[in-house]
Amino acid sequence: MIGLFSATAAGAAARDRLAAAWPERTRVYEGPVGEAVRAAFAECEQLVCFLATGAVVRLLAPLLAGKAADPGVVCVDEGGRFAVSLLGGHGGGANALAREVGAVLGAEPVVTTATDAAGLPGLDTLGLPYEGSVAAVSRALLDGEPVALEAEVAWPLPPLPVAAEGAYTIRVTDRAVTAGEREVLLRPPSLVVGVGASKGAPAEEVVGLVEEALREAGLSPRSVAELATVDAKAGEPGIVAAAERLGVPLVSYSAGELAAVEVPNPSEAPLAAVGTPSVAEAAALVRGGELLVPKRKSGARPAMATCAVVRRPGRGRLAVVGLGPGARDLLTPRAAAELRRASVLVGLDQYVDQIRDLLRPGTRVLESGLGAEEERARTAVAQAREGHAVALIGSGDAGVYAMASPALAEASDDIDVVGVPGVTAALAAGAVLGAPLGHDHVSISLSDLHTPWDVIERRVRAAAESDLVVTFYNPRSRGRDWQLPKALGILAEHRDAGTPVGVVRNASRADESARITTLAALDPATVDMMTVVTVGNTATRNIAGRMVTPRGYRWQEDPR
């Protein structure tokens, strides 16, 4: 819960705007400010104070307990101009909250945390448990000192400006080691513990067995991602309690799924009891990985629990990101976040140039020229398979005549894939023209480099016969100058000569140009590959210089 309080009418007005925007997330504290602050500090995970920063500092000072315990605090001036991350920037989430508050109130977020200001991800914000000298290693990164990355377990981290060797170290490990004086340990959730238990097995026996197995194997409990068992044992109180005690989810699989897993130590007992020759080993191995601890029994007499431990490889992450039509303000916040998250960026060189300033220090850029789409797709997937966080970029929406299709055709289920939509050229051009896509419409590429012309022609003819608004991508190039006239001729067989046609070049960019003409008057020679051509249907009209396709409501029966 986010506690909100203010001392003046102006502050209350901004406070109430935020409360109205986030009714489920916020609680307004009324009454004397001192009492409100003390109550909110004790009851809420985060605070937004609509007061001067000096006043907030004096109110909070007696309440501070420590970095790990204090809530995140954002201070907003009573004019609503600035949202200042004041306390708990990383641990309390105040930096992210300041940006969210700024977006709602139109305020400028003010974040002074050194790593954020320098564009570096905080080592304590990566979503992984961490140990060691976070402050010292972060300072070394900020000062440009060589910091080595030792990834004993491959994991998709955001970009970090690391070196092959250095006096400081970031170590990604699931082993039970102690951090050195100049070292940070990041604990990836790479371990799966398979558990089997007899009816009524005590939680203490299950937990003791798991802890003993991890300790003797030299593995960190902080890297345990989940406990796994067979469906028939998913409700066993001892197993449920063990998962709760370890703070990890409990997952279960059917006996049939587990019986299909090859294990080194099958047994007749679980086969007779639950229908699979292995529970602990099979449940740990069912999604693949390396068996680090074979099945072992608890030390109780009789033993009522078994466990096995598997290390699953880190799954690489591929984000296929649409950059939009070119204007920076049409690049979505989600796309920008994925660019900052990626440690490897793959893309066409001219698209990389558009967003290079958004990349974090340490991002590895793999760029290539025109005509290498399939190679870029293979490269991006290969990098993800090596365990990296990869962003593969394309213009517009990456799923529309762009990189998503070849990348997903190459990818298998051994990596995580995230699609990030973008504003397409058709949408950007449509917004410039007016509302040409107000009813059913279709996009057709006139490039026959990958699609035979007879297939393209059949699609154009079908769109013409169906009276669809048509947006032509890749309409004309120096080597392809006859396809657009041919396509327009097909449409002209079904639409009159005065049908509005919109021509937009470099939609949303600084040199954008647009005009509305007609099917008869359009000169294909004025069109190139940077142009989107939108041909209206029989209902499309030029209204006050804007291209409009009515939605067909009765009050629009005579749009003229």
Side-chain angles (χ1 to χ4, degrees), residues 151-305:
E152 298 175 5
V153 179
W155 211 259
L157 297 175
L160 294 165
V162 293
E165 297 181 353
Y168 297 83
T169 305
I170 300 168
R171 184 158 26 151
V172 185
T173 181
D174 55 19
R175 295 190 300 114
V177 294
T178 302
E181 183 180 351
R182 295 184 169 188
E183 184 175 50
V184 170
L185 303 180
L186 298 178
R187 299 296 192 186
S190 55
L191 304 178
V192 178
V193 180
V195 180
S198 302
K199 184 175 178 61
E204 290 73 17
E205 182 175 344
V206 180
V207 172
L209 173 62
V210 171
E211 291 178 341
E212 181 182 73
L214 293 170
R215 182 172 57 253
E216 292 185 4
L219 300 170
S220 171
R222 302 190 77 186
S223 281
V224 175
E226 61 190 34
L227 258 63
T229 191
V230 67
D231 285 346
K233 295 296 180 179
E236 185 64 42
I239 294 179
V240 173
E244 293 175 350
R245 289 260 295 271
L246 291 168
V248 297
L250 175 63
V251 299
S252 64
Y253 302 94
S254 69
E257 288 178 288
L258 298 189
V261 179
E262 185 175 344
V263 297
N265 299 293
S267 172
E268 293 295 326
L271 180 62
V274 294
T276 173
S278 172
V279 173
E281 287 182 338
L285 284 167
V286 67
R287 289 170 54 193
E290 176 188 4
L291 184 62
L292 302 180
V293 179
K295 182 182 73 174
R296 58 184 296 168
K297 297 180 179 180
S298 63
R301 294 290 182 268
M304 300 184 72

Side-chain angles (χ1 to χ4, degrees), residues 439-526:
H439 210 300
D440 296 338
H441 55 274
V442 64
S443 295
I444 299 176
S445 171
L446 294 183
S447 172
D448 56 359
L449 295 177
H450 300 289
T451 305
W453 174 253
D454 62 332
V455 174
I456 297 172
E457 184 172 336
R458 286 202 307 271
R459 292 170 179 172
V460 174
R461 195 169 298 281
E465 294 172 351
S466 302
D467 198 27
L468 295 172
V469 175
V470 182
T471 297
F472 288 124
Y473 279 72
N474 306 313
R476 184 177 181 274
S477 68
R478 290 180 180 178
R480 295 185 301 100
D481 59 0
W482 60 267
Q483 287 90 341
L484 179 59
K486 178 68 173 177
L488 295 174
I490 294 171
L491 292 175
E493 296 173 10
H494 299 269
R495 299 173 197 185
D496 65 45
T499 300
V501 176
V503 181
V504 182
R505 189 175 191 278
N506 284 333
S508 87
R509 303 191 183 192
D511 56 347
E512 170 189 284
S513 64
R515 69 185 190 279
I516 298 176
T517 182
T518 66
L519 191 55
L522 174 62
D523 180 4
T526 63

Side-chain angles (χ1 to χ4, degrees), residues 23 69 81 84 95 175 200-201 216 223 277 301 312 350 362-363 372 379 405 420 427 435 490 518 538 555-556 559:
R81 297 170 300 169
V84 182
N95 292 351
R175 295 190 300 114
E216 292 185 4
S223 281
R301 294 290 182 268
R312 287 182 183 162
Q350 63 191 53
T363 304
T379 297
S405 179
V420 182
L427 295 177
I490 294 171
T518 66
T538 56
W555 54 268
Q556 289 179 321

Side-chain angles (χ1 to χ4, degrees), residues 13-91:
R15 176 202 68 191
D16 292 344
R17 284 172 56 203
L18 190 62
W22 296 343
E24 304 299 324
R25 298 177 61 189
T26 58
R27 175 181 173 185
V28 174
Y29 286 79
E30 303 279 7
V33 172
E35 295 177 10
V37 170
R38 286 190 291 274
F41 197 90
E43 297 169 356
C44 297
E45 293 83 15
Q46 295 176 316
L47 310 181
V48 180
C49 316
F50 293 84
L51 294 168
T53 53
V56 176
V57 167
R58 286 190 291 273
L59 289 168
L60 293 179
L63 307 176
L64 301 182
K67 186 174 182 179
D70 295 332
V73 179
V74 171
C75 184
V76 180
D77 67 286
E78 289 157 310
R81 297 170 300 169
F82 302 100
V84 182
S85 174
L86 191 66
L87 181 70
H90 284 169

